[in-house]
Structures are given as structure tokens and as C-alpha cells.
Amino acid sequence: MADSLTISGYEAVIGLEVHAQLSTESKIFCGCRVEFGAPPNSLTCPVCLGLPGALPALNKKTVEYALRMILAIDGTVRLRSVFARKNYFYPDLPKGYQISQFDLPIGEGGEIAIPIPGEKRKKVIRLRRIHLEEDAGKSLHPESGEKFTRVDFNRCGVPLIEIVTEPDICSPQEAYAYLIKLKQILQFLGICTADMEKGHLRCDANISIRPIGLSKMGAKTEIKNLNSFKAVEKALAFEIEHQVQVLQSGGIIKQCTMLWDDKHQVAEPMRSKEESHDYRYFPEPDLVNLVVTEEWLNQVKATLPELPEIRAARFVRQYNIPEYDANVLTESRELADYYEKVMQNFGDGKAASNWIMTQLLKVINEEKAELENYHISPVMIAELLNFVQSGKISGKIAKDVFEEMVATSKTAGEIISSRGLTQISDDSLIREVIAKVLAENENNLKKYLSGKKQIFGHFVGQIMKETGGKANPGLVNKILQEKLDELAR
Ligand code: ADP
Ligand code: MG
Ligand code: ZN
């Protein structure tokens, strides 16, 4: 895909609207539990079903979570914000309106910085607003043989924040990087699991193009039904090319809402764009204004969870690891937590980061497993690393042990004792093996002594083979060198 900045003299202008499901235990205006995958319509009550006479009561935790996000991205908290009814008819919306925020949202401004590939500098994406709202239900469209669409109201009233950017994003790749960063922030704040597959994060992408150099923005289209970050990237690339083609063939871009078809990798127009007056917004009469006191705000500030950059900087200081490692380890909160749990039982920060970044993440990726609750716990990794550090097993044997841990869920200690893998650190035993190997390799020994120093590695290999890989490699190198120096004299 071409870089959008260079496509035929046009540049892309992109703004994203992301809905993030807040991970509170209960819904935003009633006490119903929030749970993914519960039996349809089992988590409902008169309030979230919109039955006549039922009144909403705001869940305080949802406000606290929204405040965390606004503070984390340096936005401005509106101390008195207003809920509004957004009216529209749809089968999954039993009240006939959604309680949202309109002209007076709880958060405004702020920014998220995204990495620029190959540069140390970051690009700032300004945010326009963050508001609180409730989710709608879910229509289950007929599968083959069924006649009717069914509807599940469990999701009605599930708390969301909507995070809207300014049109500062210039390419599909930047949109992708923004989403990755946003997900990371949400997870570190502990306010959203940001699992796109479960619909905990939903993104609508607005896109227009304009001739390079022009500051006026062109007409935009909005793409919906994007169910992965990659889909966002692909849909934007598709729509940029589409808009360029339209303009180049003398057409005009009509504002509209499009649906991304991931299977066929195309975006199709769905409807002409709705305007805000279509929703007949008005202040929600059943709720008072949402007032955030300075005291409350300060309390949220004081207990704000550690954000990724700050945690990475602390890792560098506290565990004495390179910045690169710290950045990798803080890519997700689970990974950062995992590393810190290993470090509660092990002393060498760099040895632990090496092991996690190479061995552990490799199997996690291969198995497509989740780190949280993975069957090899941080304590088990710490035990394994301690065996290496104390010289009980070599780094090479540790890899075999780890492989068996992955396959059997046994601990390193169990595997080492049942397979007799303890490293040989006995000088005299190693001397014996060295003598044997040198005796069996007379020709090579002559070559070595006449100057072919690279044969050293070959001897080491033979010795390790002879001991089933159990000889302490440090000792082997040291004693072998001594022995050869002796023979050379
Ligand atoms: P709407 O009223 O259609 O929802 P908004 O002005 O509220 O439009 O903006 C929605 C999103 O679209 C924001 O993220 C904004 O940055 C982005 N946006 C607005 N205008 C454009 C444009 N011309 N091209 C691309 N994105 C835009
Ligand atoms: Mg919009
Ligand atoms: Zn309810």
C-alpha cells in the first residue's frame, strides 16, 4: 500500500471515534451485572429495558473511570456536565433513545502521542472530547433456517466512554498506531479490557482527502463495522484509494456512512450521513447534572494507575534494564505485571527480561495464548531462572526444561530432578571428560597447537555432547583453555 501522503498529490485526513466499554461490575444506570457471554436477556431489569416509570441512577464508578481517562490524556474535566437523550428508533434500543452526552460532555481536549517509525520524536493526536454513555442491545440476525431477528438486551445500559479525535491522523498506519496506544492506555488505567473481539473497543473511522497544501478539509465519509485494528487500517487504505479515484475522474465525494466488509475487503455505502439534529438531542430529564467536585477529582488524580511511559522509566531504574526492554515489557499491562511478579522472586532484571522477551513471548505467540492466567506462572519462571543463576543448570538445559514446562505444566525443579539434569560443576569430572575428548581428537589437537585456534569451539562442543549438555559451560571453557595452554608450552 502506498503512503497516503504521496498518493497522486492528495493527502488523507482522518478522525477516529472510539467506544470503549468500561469494565465496571454493573451497568451505568441500574444494578444489573455486566458480563460477556451470559444467556440472552438474563442481565436485564426495568431500567435497562426502558419500562415505563423506571428511573436511571448513575453508577459512580463509571464517572471515576471516565475521569481517569481524561486525566491520563491531559484533557479538561467539565465539573458540571449534562446527560442528553439521543433519540432514534432501532429494535435493540428499547427506550427509543440512548442516554449520552451531547454539547456538555465530561471531558474535552487532551492528546495522545503516537510513535513515528524510525524516529525518536512522537506525533501528537489531539483529542476533541470524551463523553459517557450507555450501550444499546444486540440484534442477532437470522441464521440459515431461522425466520426472525432476535434481540439480546444484556448489553443495554453497559457503560461506555466515547473518545473522539481531532482530524489529526494522516495515514492508515497512524490510525493503527493510535488505536494500539489508546488500547494500552485504557488497559493500564484498568478501566477497559480493550478486547476488540469481544466488542469492548469499537471504532468508527472518518476519512477525507484533499490536495496537498490545501488547508480546507474535503467532504468525509464515515466507515463503521470495523472489528479489528487491522480492519481499520485496511478500510482506510481502501477508502483513500476510492476517494482519489472519484476525484480524479471528476466526481465529488458525498458525505455518507459506509460499512466495511472484512470478508471481501471492501467498504460499501450504507446510508446518507445522519446529522445531529436527526437525533433530536435534549437534556435527560430523569437525571440531574453530573457534578464532579475538586475533592473527588483530586482523589482520582492521587490514585491514578501508573501509565506505560512512567512504568517503563521505573523499570529502567529499578531493574536496571535497557530502555528497549522496558518498552517491550510495558506494551501491555499483563506483560508488565508478569515481569514484575517474576522479579519479586528473582534478582537479575536483564536475565528475566531476556527470558520473557524471547522464550516466553515466543510460546505465547505460537500458542496464541493469553499471558494472564497462563499455565506457567511468573513464580515458575523465577524458579527456572534461579536454577540457571546458581549454576545448577546451564542456559542451554534451561531451554529444554522450559520446553517441558510448556508441554507438561511441571515445575523446573520437578523436571530437573526427575531427568537428572543438574549441571556438572565438578572440576575433576570435567577434567576427565576434557582429557578423554582431547585423546580422541589427536589430529584436531595438533591443528590447534599449530595455530588453528578456531578448533577450540569444536572441542567445547564435543565435551558438552559427552556430558549430555550438563557440563557447566563457563567451567568447561576455563579448564579447557588452561589445559590447552599447558599443552602448548
Ligand atoms: P459528525 O458530526 O459527522 O460526527 P464531527 O465533526 O463530530 O462529525 O467529527 C467526527 C469525527 O470526524 C472526528 O473524529 C473528527 O475529527 C473527524 N472529522 C471531522 N471532519 C472531518 C473531515 N473533513 N475529514 C476527516 N475527518 C473528519
Ligand atoms: Mg460522528
Ligand atoms: Zn438493568
Side-chain angles (χ1 to χ4, degrees):
M1 184 183 55
D3 180 345
S4 59
L5 288 173
T6 61
I7 288 184
S8 334
Y10 288 98
E11 66 180 0
V13 176
I14 298 166
L16 299 181
E17 298 167 281
V18 172
H19 286 93
Q21 180 179 320
L22 299 176
S23 49
T24 53
E25 276 168 31
S26 57
K27 296 187 179 180
I28 184 168
F29 299 122
C30 62
C32 290
R33 255 185 318 123
V34 176
E35 192 187 307
F36 185 78
N41 299 308
S42 61
L43 306 173
T44 57
C45 74
V47 174
C48 55
L49 289 176
L51 300 187
L55 290 174
L58 181 59
N59 174 349
K60 196 171 173 191
K61 197 94 198 161
T62 63
V63 181
E64 188 186 320
Y65 281 12
L67 292 176
R68 277 192 205 168
M69 184 62 186
I70 299 164
L71 291 171
I73 51 89
D74 257 330
T76 306
V77 173
R78 174 175 276 108
L79 297 178
R80 179 181 285 270
S81 65
V82 175
F83 284 103
R85 284 191 185 179
K86 179 179 183 180
N87 299 279
Y88 63 94
F89 178 76
Y90 204 73
D92 64 15
L93 192 70
K95 292 202 293 285
Y97 59 86
Q98 179 190 20
I99 304 179
S100 181
Q101 296 193 301
F102 182 50
D103 50 348
L104 300 168
I106 186 167
E108 272 174 328
E111 55 186 50
I112 289 181
I114 58 170
I116 307 175
E119 285 187 44
K120 232 176 149 56
R121 194 167 55 92
K122 300 211 163 167
K123 169 162 178 175
V124 167
I125 308 296
R126 290 169 304 151
L127 298 184
R128 182 176 283 182
R129 59 186 276 146
I130 292 178
H131 70 246
L132 272 164
E133 64 183 29
E134 61 177 341
D135 208 344
K138 217 173 179 171
S139 296
L140 306 162
H141 295 294
E143 293 177 19
S144 59
E146 288 178 336
K147 230 172 163 178
F148 303 105
T149 289
R150 292 166 298 155
V151 63
D152 177 5
F153 292 127
N154 283 352
R155 211 175 61 183
C156 278
V158 164
L160 306 174
I161 48 173
E162 179 169 348
I163 304 142
V164 183
T165 73
E166 292 292 343
D168 285 352
I169 299 168
C170 299
S171 69
Q173 294 82 352
E174 279 185 17
Y176 185 82
Y178 168 81
L179 290 169
I180 295 280
K181 191 74 213 170
L182 179 63
K183 173 176 176 170
Q184 190 195 31
I185 295 170
L186 290 165
Q187 287 182 335
F188 272 73
L189 291 174
I191 61 174
C192 172
T193 58
D195 190 339
M196 234 179 159
E197 267 159 35
K198 291 185 181 161
H200 292 174
L201 210 61
R202 275 166 268 158
C203 174
D204 299 336
N206 298 272
I207 163 92
S208 64
I209 57 169
R210 66 184 167 196
I212 290 174
L214 214 70
S215 61
K216 189 172 177 297
M217 291 196 290
K220 71 176 164 74
T221 57
E222 177 172 352
I223 315 174
K224 291 184 179 286
N225 198 33
L226 299 163
N227 45 27
S228 70
F229 291 178
K230 277 288 161 205
V232 174
E233 190 177 347
K234 283 189 186 146
L236 284 169
F238 173 90
E239 180 57 10
I240 291 168
E241 293 212 20
H242 169 240
Q243 290 189 7
V244 169
Q245 275 170 20
V246 169
L247 292 189
Q248 280 181 337
S249 60
I252 51 162
I253 307 296
K254 274 200 223 79
Q255 289 227 42
C256 71
T257 303
M258 306 183 91
L259 277 190
W260 175 245
D261 176 347
D262 206 47
K263 194 163 155 215
H264 302 101
Q265 303 274 297
V266 290
E268 302 274 12
M270 174 175 73
R271 57 169 185 241
S272 67
K273 204 208 132 28
E274 68 288 320
E275 303 288 339
S276 65
H277 61 247
D278 294 332
Y279 291 117
R280 303 173 342 270
Y281 279 100
F282 62 86
E284 168 59 58
D286 288 341
L287 287 167
V288 294
N289 289 352
L290 169 51
V291 175
V292 176
T293 60
E294 292 282 355
E295 190 192 351
W296 188 13
L297 193 56
N298 286 333
Q299 198 184 322
V300 177
K301 240 181 235 171
T303 54
L304 202 65
E306 206 176 23
L307 287 163
E309 281 81 14
I310 294 169
R311 199 158 178 192
R314 176 168 65 76
F315 279 12
V316 170
R317 286 195 311 273
Q318 186 173 344
Y319 303 118
N320 208 2
I321 55 174
E323 207 180 300
Y324 173 83
D325 296 39
N327 286 337
V328 173
L329 293 171
T330 51
E331 263 169 26
S332 78
R333 184 169 165 172
E334 293 89 79
L335 184 56
D337 288 347
Y338 194 101
Y339 176 69
E340 291 216 273
K341 284 190 194 131
V342 171
M343 290 307 294
Q344 281 168 9
N345 299 286
F346 180 62
D348 182 345
K350 179 63 181 153
S353 76
N354 282 349
W355 195 273
I356 288 175
M357 292 192 307
T358 53
Q359 309 302 322
L360 182 69
L361 287 186
K362 195 170 98 202
V363 296
I364 293 287
N365 289 337
E366 278 168 7
E367 293 180 15
K368 294 195 169 40
E370 281 183 36
L371 203 49
E372 210 182 349
N373 305 322
Y374 189 60
H375 69 96
I376 297 179
S377 67
V379 173
M380 287 162 78
I381 295 286
E383 184 198 21
L384 175 67
L385 292 175
N386 275 312
F387 283 136
V388 179
Q389 199 182 40
S390 68
K392 187 162 185 188
I393 57 171
S394 68
K396 188 163 175 306
I397 294 280
K399 284 182 191 158
D400 295 342
V401 172
F402 180 65
E403 224 171 81
E404 195 167 329
M405 287 166 72
V406 172
T408 64
S409 302
K410 283 191 190 143
T411 68
E414 285 165 354
I415 295 164
I416 291 166
S417 56
S418 74
R419 285 180 39 192
L421 292 174
T422 306
Q423 174 162 273
I424 301 167
S425 294
D426 175 345
D427 271 34
S428 55
L429 207 73
I430 291 174
R431 272 176 216 287
E432 255 173 54
V433 179
I434 289 176
K436 176 165 182 272
V437 166
L438 292 182
E440 283 168 2
N441 286 273
E442 245 177 85
N443 271 340
N444 280 331
L445 181 57
K446 270 188 207 141
K447 283 188 204 155
Y448 178 89
L449 293 173
S450 66
K452 286 199 100 179
K453 298 290 185 218
Q454 62 272 37
I455 291 177
F456 189 87
H458 170 74
F459 292 139
V460 173
Q462 292 291 108
I463 296 159
M464 295 308 287
K465 201 167 151 199
E466 196 69 30
T467 58
K470 287 189 277 180
N472 178 327
L475 271 182
V476 168
N477 273 282
K478 181 168 157 279
I479 300 175
L480 178 64
Q481 191 67 60
E482 283 167 12
K483 184 78 191 165
L484 292 171
D485 289 351
E486 202 181 295
L487 292 171
R489 262 186 247 125

